[in-house]
Coordinates of all heavy atoms in Angstrom, one line a residue:
D248 N 139.7 58.2 63.9 CA 139.9 56.9 63.3 C 138.6 56.3 62.9 O 137.9 55.6 63.6 CB 140.6 55.9 64.3 CG 140.8 54.5 63.7 OD1 140.5 54.3 62.5 OD2 141.4 53.7 64.5
A249 N 138.1 56.7 61.7 CA 136.7 56.5 61.3 C 136.3 55.1 61.2 O 135.1 54.7 61.2 CB 136.4 57.3 60.0
H250 N 137.3 54.1 61.0 CA 136.8 52.8 60.7 C 136.2 52.1 61.9 O 135.6 51.1 61.9 CB 137.9 51.9 60.0 CG 138.9 51.4 60.9 ND1 140.2 52.0 61.1 CD2 138.9 50.3 61.7 CE1 140.9 51.2 61.9 NE2 140.1 50.2 62.3
R251 N 136.4 52.7 63.1 CA 135.8 52.1 64.3 C 134.4 52.8 64.6 O 133.8 52.6 65.6 CB 136.7 52.3 65.5 CG 138.0 51.3 65.4 CD 138.6 51.1 66.7 NE 139.0 52.3 67.4 CZ 138.8 52.6 68.6 NH1 138.1 51.7 69.4 NH2 139.2 53.7 69.1
G252 N 134.0 53.6 63.6 CA 132.7 54.2 63.8 C 132.8 55.6 64.3 O 133.7 56.0 65.0
G253 N 131.9 56.4 63.8 CA 131.9 57.8 64.2 C 132.4 58.7 63.1 O 133.2 58.4 62.3
A254 N 131.8 60.0 63.1 CA 132.2 61.0 62.2 C 133.5 61.6 62.6 O 133.6 61.9 63.8 CB 131.1 62.0 62.0
V255 N 134.4 61.9 61.7 CA 135.6 62.6 62.1 C 135.3 64.0 62.4 O 134.2 64.5 62.0 CB 136.7 62.5 61.0 CG1 137.1 61.0 60.8 CG2 136.2 63.1 59.7
T256 N 136.1 64.7 63.1 CA 135.8 66.0 63.6 C 135.2 67.0 62.6 O 134.2 67.6 62.8 CB 137.1 66.7 64.2 OG1 137.8 65.7 64.9 CG2 136.8 67.9 65.1
G257 N 135.8 67.0 61.4 CA 135.4 67.9 60.3 C 134.0 67.6 59.8 O 133.3 68.4 59.2
A258 N 133.5 66.3 60.0 CA 132.3 65.9 59.4 C 131.1 66.0 60.3 O 129.9 65.9 59.9 CB 132.4 64.5 58.9
V259 N 131.3 66.2 61.6 CA 130.3 66.2 62.6 C 129.2 67.2 62.3 O 128.0 66.9 62.3 CB 130.8 66.4 64.0 CG1 129.7 66.6 65.0 CG2 131.7 65.2 64.5
E260 N 129.6 68.4 62.0 CA 128.6 69.5 61.7 C 127.8 69.2 60.5 O 126.5 69.4 60.5 CB 129.3 70.8 61.6 CG 128.4 72.0 61.6 CD 128.9 73.1 62.6 OE1 129.8 72.8 63.3 OE2 128.4 74.2 62.5
Q261 N 128.4 68.7 59.5 CA 127.7 68.3 58.2 C 126.6 67.3 58.5 O 125.5 67.4 58.0 CB 128.7 67.7 57.3 CG 129.1 68.6 56.1 CD 129.9 67.7 55.1 OE1 130.7 66.9 55.5 NE2 129.6 67.9 53.8
V262 N 127.0 66.2 59.2 CA 126.1 65.2 59.5 C 124.9 65.7 60.3 O 123.7 65.4 60.1 CB 126.8 64.0 60.2 CG1 125.7 62.9 60.6 CG2 127.8 63.4 59.3
A263 N 125.3 66.6 61.3 CA 124.2 67.2 62.2 C 123.3 68.0 61.4 O 122.1 68.0 61.6 CB 124.9 68.0 63.3
E264 N 123.8 68.8 60.5 CA 122.9 69.7 59.6 C 122.0 68.8 58.8 O 120.8 69.2 58.7 CB 123.8 70.6 58.7 CG 124.3 71.8 59.4 CD 125.4 72.5 58.6 OE1 125.6 72.1 57.4 OE2 126.0 73.4 59.2
S265 N 122.5 67.7 58.3 CA 121.7 66.8 57.5 C 120.5 66.2 58.4 O 119.4 66.1 57.9 CB 122.6 65.8 56.9 OG 121.8 64.8 56.3
V266 N 120.9 65.8 59.6 CA 119.8 65.3 60.5 C 118.8 66.3 60.8 O 117.6 66.1 60.7 CB 120.5 64.8 61.8 CG1 119.4 64.4 62.8 CG2 121.4 63.6 61.5
A267 N 119.3 67.5 61.1 CA 118.4 68.6 61.5 C 117.4 69.0 60.3 O 116.3 69.4 60.5 CB 119.1 69.9 61.9
A268 N 117.9 68.8 59.1 CA 117.1 69.1 57.9 C 116.1 68.0 57.6 O 115.2 68.1 56.7 CB 118.0 69.4 56.7
S269 N 116.3 66.8 58.2 CA 115.4 65.7 57.8 C 114.0 65.8 58.4 O 113.9 66.2 59.6 CB 116.1 64.4 58.4 OG 115.1 63.3 58.4
P270 N 113.0 65.5 57.6 CA 111.6 65.6 58.1 C 111.3 64.5 59.1 O 110.3 64.6 59.8 CB 110.8 65.5 56.8 CG 111.6 64.7 55.9 CD 113.1 65.1 56.2
A271 N 112.0 63.4 59.1 CA 111.6 62.3 59.9 C 112.6 62.0 61.1 O 112.3 61.1 61.9 CB 111.6 61.1 59.1
L272 N 113.6 62.8 61.2 CA 114.6 62.6 62.3 C 114.7 63.9 63.2 O 114.3 65.0 62.7 CB 116.0 62.4 61.7 CG 116.1 61.3 60.6 CD1 117.6 61.2 60.2 CD2 115.6 59.9 61.1
R273 N 115.1 63.7 64.4 CA 115.2 64.8 65.3 C 116.7 64.8 65.9 O 117.0 63.8 66.5 CB 114.2 64.6 66.4 CG 114.0 65.8 67.3 CD 112.6 65.8 67.9 NE 112.4 64.6 68.7 CZ 111.2 64.3 69.2 NH1 110.2 65.1 69.2 NH2 111.1 63.1 69.9
L274 N 117.4 65.8 65.7 CA 118.8 65.9 66.2 C 118.8 66.1 67.7 O 118.3 67.2 68.2 CB 119.5 67.0 65.5 CG 121.0 67.3 65.9 CD1 121.9 66.1 65.5 CD2 121.5 68.6 65.3
K275 N 119.3 65.2 68.4 CA 119.3 65.3 69.9 C 120.7 65.6 70.5 O 120.8 66.0 71.6 CB 118.8 64.0 70.5 CG 117.3 63.7 70.1 CD 116.3 64.8 70.5 CE 116.0 64.7 72.0 NZ 114.9 65.7 72.3
G276 N 121.8 65.3 69.8 CA 123.1 65.5 70.4 C 124.2 64.7 69.8 O 124.1 64.3 68.6
V277 N 125.1 64.3 70.7 CA 126.3 63.6 70.2 C 126.5 62.3 71.1 O 126.1 62.2 72.2 CB 127.6 64.5 70.3 CG1 127.5 65.6 69.2 CG2 127.8 65.0 71.7
M278 N 127.3 61.4 70.5 CA 127.6 60.2 71.2 C 129.1 59.9 70.9 O 129.6 60.2 69.8 CB 126.7 59.1 70.8 CG 127.0 57.7 71.3 SD 128.3 56.7 70.3 CE 127.7 55.1 70.6
A279 N 129.8 59.2 71.9 CA 131.1 58.7 71.5 C 131.5 57.6 72.5 O 130.9 57.4 73.6 CB 132.2 59.8 71.6
V280 N 132.4 56.8 72.0 CA 133.0 55.7 72.8 C 134.5 56.2 73.0 O 135.1 56.6 72.1 CB 133.0 54.4 72.1 CG1 133.8 53.3 72.9 CG2 131.6 53.9 71.8
A281 N 135.0 56.2 74.3 CA 136.3 56.6 74.5 C 137.3 55.6 73.8 O 137.2 54.4 73.9 CB 136.6 56.6 76.0
P282 N 138.2 56.2 73.0 CA 139.2 55.3 72.3 C 140.0 54.5 73.4 O 140.2 55.0 74.5 CB 140.1 56.3 71.6 CG 139.3 57.5 71.4 CD 138.4 57.6 72.6
L283 N 140.3 53.2 73.1 CA 140.9 52.3 74.0 C 142.1 52.9 74.7 O 142.3 52.7 75.9 CB 141.3 51.0 73.3 CG 140.1 50.0 73.0 CD1 140.7 48.8 72.3 CD2 139.4 49.7 74.3
D284 N 142.9 53.6 74.0 CA 144.2 54.0 74.6 C 144.2 55.4 75.1 O 145.2 56.0 75.3 CB 145.3 53.8 73.5 CG 145.0 54.4 72.2 OD1 143.8 54.8 72.0 OD2 145.8 54.5 71.3
W285 N 143.0 56.0 75.3 CA 142.9 57.3 75.8 C 142.4 57.3 77.2 O 141.7 56.5 77.6 CB 141.8 58.1 75.0 CG 142.3 58.6 73.7 CD1 143.1 58.0 72.8 CD2 141.8 59.9 73.0 NE1 143.2 58.8 71.6 CE2 142.5 59.9 71.8 CE3 141.0 60.9 73.4 CZ2 142.3 61.0 70.9 CZ3 140.8 62.0 72.6 CH2 141.4 62.0 71.3
E286 N 142.9 58.3 78.0 CA 142.3 58.6 79.3 C 140.9 59.0 79.1 O 140.6 59.9 78.3 CB 143.1 59.7 80.0 CG 144.5 59.4 80.5 CD 144.4 58.3 81.6 OE1 143.4 58.3 82.3 OE2 145.4 57.5 81.6
P287 N 140.0 58.4 79.9 CA 138.5 58.8 79.7 C 138.3 60.3 79.9 O 137.6 60.9 79.1 CB 137.8 58.1 80.9 CG 138.7 56.9 81.2 CD 140.1 57.3 80.8
D288 N 139.0 61.0 80.8 CA 138.8 62.4 80.9 C 139.2 63.2 79.7 O 138.5 64.2 79.3 CB 139.7 63.0 82.1 CG 139.0 62.7 83.5 OD1 137.7 62.5 83.5 OD2 139.7 62.6 84.5
A289 N 140.3 62.8 79.0 CA 140.6 63.4 77.7 C 139.6 63.2 76.7 O 139.2 64.1 76.0 CB 142.0 62.9 77.3
A290 N 139.1 62.0 76.6 CA 138.1 61.7 75.6 C 136.8 62.4 75.8 O 136.2 63.1 74.9 CB 137.8 60.1 75.6
F291 N 136.3 62.4 77.1 CA 135.0 63.0 77.3 C 135.1 64.5 77.4 O 134.1 65.2 77.1 CB 134.4 62.4 78.6 CG 134.1 60.9 78.5 CD1 134.5 60.0 79.5 CD2 133.5 60.4 77.3 CE1 134.3 58.6 79.3 CE2 133.3 59.0 77.2 CZ 133.7 58.1 78.2
G292 N 136.2 65.0 77.7 CA 136.4 66.5 77.7 C 136.3 66.9 76.2 O 135.7 68.0 75.9
R293 N 136.9 66.2 75.3 CA 136.9 66.5 73.9 C 135.5 66.4 73.4 O 135.0 67.3 72.6 CB 137.8 65.6 73.1 CG 137.8 65.9 71.7 CD 139.1 65.4 71.1 NE 139.1 65.7 69.7 CZ 140.1 65.5 68.8 NH1 141.2 65.0 69.3 NH2 140.0 65.8 67.6
L294 N 134.7 65.4 73.8 CA 133.3 65.2 73.4 C 132.5 66.4 73.9 O 131.6 66.9 73.2 CB 132.7 63.9 73.9 CG 131.3 63.6 73.4 CD1 131.2 63.5 71.9 CD2 130.8 62.4 74.1
A295 N 132.8 66.9 75.1 CA 132.0 68.0 75.6 C 132.3 69.3 74.8 O 131.4 70.1 74.6 CB 132.5 68.3 77.1
D296 N 133.5 69.4 74.3 CA 133.8 70.6 73.4 C 133.0 70.5 72.1 O 132.5 71.4 71.6 CB 135.3 70.6 73.1 CG 136.2 71.0 74.3 OD1 135.6 71.5 75.3 OD2 137.4 70.7 74.2
V297 N 133.0 69.2 71.5 CA 132.2 69.0 70.3 C 130.8 69.4 70.5 O 130.1 70.0 69.7 CB 132.4 67.6 69.8 CG1 131.5 67.3 68.6 CG2 133.8 67.3 69.4
S298 N 130.2 68.9 71.7 CA 128.8 69.2 72.0 C 128.6 70.7 72.1 O 127.6 71.2 71.6 CB 128.5 68.5 73.3 OG 127.2 68.9 73.8
A299 N 129.5 71.4 72.8 CA 129.3 72.8 73.0 C 129.3 73.6 71.7 O 128.5 74.5 71.4 CB 130.4 73.4 73.9
R300 N 130.2 73.2 70.8 CA 130.2 73.8 69.4 C 128.9 73.5 68.7 O 128.4 74.4 68.0 CB 131.4 73.3 68.6 CG 132.7 74.0 68.9 CD 133.7 73.8 67.8 NE 134.1 72.5 67.5 CZ 135.0 71.8 68.2 NH1 135.7 72.3 69.2 NH2 135.2 70.5 67.9
L301 N 128.4 72.3 68.8 CA 127.2 71.9 68.0 C 126.0 72.7 68.5 O 125.2 73.1 67.8 CB 127.0 70.4 68.2 CG 125.8 69.9 67.3 CD1 126.2 69.9 65.8 CD2 125.5 68.4 67.7
R302 N 126.0 73.0 69.8 CA 124.9 73.6 70.4 C 124.8 75.1 70.1 O 123.8 75.8 70.3 CB 124.8 73.4 71.9 CG 124.2 72.1 72.3 CD 124.2 71.8 73.8 NE 125.6 71.4 74.2 CZ 126.2 71.9 75.3 NH1 125.6 72.8 76.1 NH2 127.4 71.5 75.6
V303 N 125.9 75.7 69.6 CA 125.8 77.1 69.1 C 124.8 77.1 67.9 O 123.9 78.0 67.9 CB 127.2 77.6 68.6 CG1 127.1 78.9 68.0 CG2 128.2 77.6 69.8
A304 N 124.9 76.2 67.0 CA 124.0 76.1 65.9 C 122.6 75.5 66.2 O 121.6 75.8 65.7 CB 124.6 75.4 64.7
F305 N 122.7 74.4 67.1 CA 121.5 73.6 67.4 C 121.4 73.5 69.0 O 121.8 72.5 69.6 CB 121.6 72.2 66.8 CG 121.9 72.2 65.3 CD1 123.1 72.0 64.8 CD2 120.8 72.5 64.5 CE1 123.3 72.0 63.4 CE2 121.0 72.5 63.1 CZ 122.3 72.3 62.6
P306 N 120.8 74.6 69.6 CA 120.7 74.6 71.0 C 120.0 73.4 71.6 O 120.2 73.1 72.8 CB 120.0 75.9 71.3 CG 120.0 76.7 70.1 CD 120.2 75.8 68.9
G307 N 119.0 72.9 70.9 CA 118.2 71.7 71.4 C 119.0 70.4 71.4 O 118.5 69.4 72.0
A308 N 120.1 70.4 70.8 CA 120.9 69.1 70.6 C 121.8 68.9 71.8 O 123.0 68.9 71.7 CB 121.7 69.1 69.3
D309 N 121.1 68.8 73.0 CA 121.9 68.8 74.2 C 122.1 67.5 74.9 O 122.5 67.5 76.1 CB 121.3 69.9 75.2 CG 119.8 69.5 75.5 OD1 119.3 68.5 75.0 OD2 119.2 70.2 76.3
W310 N 121.9 66.4 74.2 CA 122.2 65.1 74.8 C 123.7 64.8 74.5 O 124.2 65.0 73.4 CB 121.3 64.0 74.2 CG 119.9 64.0 74.6 CD1 119.2 65.0 75.3 CD2 118.9 63.0 74.3 NE1 117.9 64.7 75.4 CE2 117.7 63.5 74.8 CE3 118.9 61.8 73.6 CZ2 116.5 62.8 74.6 CZ3 117.8 61.1 73.4 CH2 116.6 61.6 74.0
I311 N 124.3 64.2 75.5 CA 125.6 63.6 75.4 C 125.6 62.2 75.8 O 125.4 61.9 77.0 CB 126.7 64.4 76.2 CG1 126.7 65.9 75.7 CG2 128.1 63.8 76.0 CD1 127.7 66.8 76.6
S312 N 125.7 61.3 74.9 CA 125.7 59.8 75.2 C 127.2 59.4 75.4 O 127.9 59.3 74.4 CB 125.0 59.1 74.1 OG 125.3 57.7 74.2
A313 N 127.6 59.2 76.6 CA 129.0 58.9 76.9 C 129.0 58.2 78.3 O 128.3 58.5 79.2 CB 129.8 60.2 77.0
G314 N 130.0 57.2 78.4 CA 130.2 56.5 79.6 C 129.6 55.1 79.6 O 128.5 54.9 79.1
M315 N 130.4 54.2 80.0 CA 130.0 52.8 80.0 C 130.4 52.2 81.4 O 130.7 53.0 82.3 CB 130.8 52.0 78.9 CG 130.9 52.8 77.6 SD 131.2 51.8 76.1 CE 132.5 50.8 76.5
S316 N 130.4 50.9 81.6 CA 130.6 50.4 82.9 C 131.9 50.9 83.6 O 131.9 51.2 84.8 CB 130.6 48.9 82.9 OG 129.4 48.3 82.5
E317 N 132.9 51.0 82.8 CA 134.2 51.3 83.4 C 134.5 52.8 83.6 O 135.4 53.2 84.4 CB 135.4 50.8 82.4 CG 135.4 49.3 82.3 CD 135.8 48.6 83.6 OE1 136.7 49.1 84.2 OE2 135.2 47.5 83.9
D318 N 133.8 53.6 82.8 CA 134.2 55.0 82.8 C 133.0 56.0 83.0 O 133.1 57.2 82.6 CB 135.0 55.3 81.5 CG 134.2 55.0 80.2 OD1 133.0 54.8 80.3 OD2 134.8 54.9 79.2
L319 N 131.9 55.6 83.6 CA 130.8 56.4 83.6 C 131.0 57.7 84.5 O 130.4 58.7 84.3 CB 129.5 55.7 84.0 CG 129.4 55.0 85.4 CD1 128.8 56.0 86.4 CD2 128.5 53.8 85.4
E320 N 131.8 57.5 85.5 CA 132.1 58.7 86.4 C 132.7 59.8 85.7 O 132.4 61.0 85.8 CB 133.0 58.3 87.6 CG 132.2 57.5 88.7 CD 132.2 56.0 88.5 OE1 132.7 55.5 87.4 OE2 131.6 55.3 89.3
S321 N 133.8 59.5 84.9 CA 134.4 60.5 84.1 C 133.4 61.1 83.1 O 133.4 62.4 83.0 CB 135.6 59.9 83.3 OG 136.1 60.8 82.3
A322 N 132.6 60.3 82.4 CA 131.7 60.9 81.5 C 130.7 61.8 82.1 O 130.4 62.9 81.6 CB 130.9 59.7 80.8
I323 N 130.2 61.4 83.3 CA 129.3 62.3 84.0 C 129.9 63.6 84.4 O 129.3 64.7 84.3 CB 128.6 61.6 85.2 CG1 127.7 60.5 84.7 CG2 127.9 62.5 86.2 CD1 127.1 59.5 85.8
S324 N 131.2 63.6 84.8 CA 131.9 64.8 85.2 C 132.0 65.7 84.0 O 132.2 66.9 84.1 CB 133.2 64.5 85.8 OG 134.2 64.2 84.8
H325 N 132.0 65.2 82.8 CA 132.1 66.0 81.5 C 130.7 66.2 80.9 O 130.6 66.5 79.7 CB 133.1 65.3 80.6 CG 134.5 65.4 81.1 ND1 135.2 66.6 81.0 CD2 135.3 64.5 81.7 CE1 136.4 66.3 81.5 NE2 136.5 65.1 82.0
G326 N 129.6 66.0 81.6 CA 128.3 66.4 81.1 C 127.5 65.3 80.5 O 126.4 65.6 79.9
S327 N 127.9 64.1 80.6 CA 127.1 63.0 79.9 C 125.6 63.1 80.4 O 125.4 63.2 81.6 CB 127.7 61.6 80.3 OG 126.8 60.6 79.8
T328 N 124.7 62.9 79.5 CA 123.3 62.8 79.8 C 122.7 61.4 79.7 O 121.6 61.1 80.2 CB 122.4 63.8 78.9 OG1 122.5 63.3 77.6 CG2 122.9 65.2 79.1
H329 N 123.5 60.6 79.0 CA 123.0 59.2 78.8 C 124.3 58.3 78.9 O 125.2 58.3 78.1 CB 122.4 59.0 77.4 CG 121.1 59.7 77.2 ND1 121.0 61.1 77.1 CD2 119.9 59.2 77.0 CE1 119.7 61.4 77.0 NE2 119.0 60.3 76.9
V330 N 124.2 57.5 80.0 CA 125.3 56.5 80.1 C 124.8 55.1 79.6 O 123.6 54.8 79.8 CB 125.8 56.4 81.6 CG1 126.5 57.6 82.0 CG2 124.7 56.0 82.6
R331 N 125.7 54.4 78.9 CA 125.3 53.1 78.3 C 126.0 52.0 79.1 O 127.2 51.8 78.9 CB 125.7 53.1 76.8 CG 125.2 54.3 76.0 CD 125.7 54.3 74.6 NE 127.2 54.0 74.5 CZ 128.1 55.0 74.5 NH1 127.7 56.3 74.4 NH2 129.4 54.7 74.4
V332 N 125.3 51.3 79.9 CA 125.9 50.4 80.9 C 125.5 49.0 80.6 O 124.3 48.7 80.7 CB 125.6 50.8 82.3 CG1 126.3 49.9 83.3 CG2 126.1 52.3 82.6
G333 N 126.4 48.1 80.3 CA 126.1 46.7 80.1 C 126.6 45.8 81.2 O 125.8 45.3 82.1
S334 N 127.9 45.5 81.2 CA 128.4 44.5 82.1 C 128.2 44.8 83.6 O 128.0 43.9 84.4 CB 129.9 44.3 81.8 OG 130.6 45.5 81.8
A335 N 128.3 46.0 84.0 CA 128.1 46.3 85.4 C 126.6 46.0 85.9 O 126.4 45.8 87.1 CB 128.4 47.8 85.7

Side-chain angles (χ1 to χ4, degrees):
D248 177 2
H250 81 261
R251 291 200 303 132
V255 297
T256 317
V259 169
E260 193 132 347
Q261 253 190 319
V262 175
E264 280 169 5
S265 168
V266 173
S269 164
L272 309 179
R273 191 157 54 185
L274 177 67
K275 298 299 283 189
V277 292
M278 175 273 211
V280 178
L283 281 179
D284 49 350
W285 282 35
E286 287 296 328
D288 281 333
F291 299 132
R293 181 155 180 175
L294 183 62
D296 291 343
V297 173
S298 169
R300 276 200 301 276
L301 188 68
R302 278 178 283 135
V303 174
F305 303 104
D309 59 358
W310 291 7
I311 300 177
S312 168
M315 322 199 311
S316 293
E317 295 291 320
D318 56 18
L319 66 88
E320 283 86 358
S321 169
I323 288 171
S324 80
H325 292 283
S327 171
T328 63
H329 291 69
V330 292
R331 310 178 307 269
V332 179
S334 50

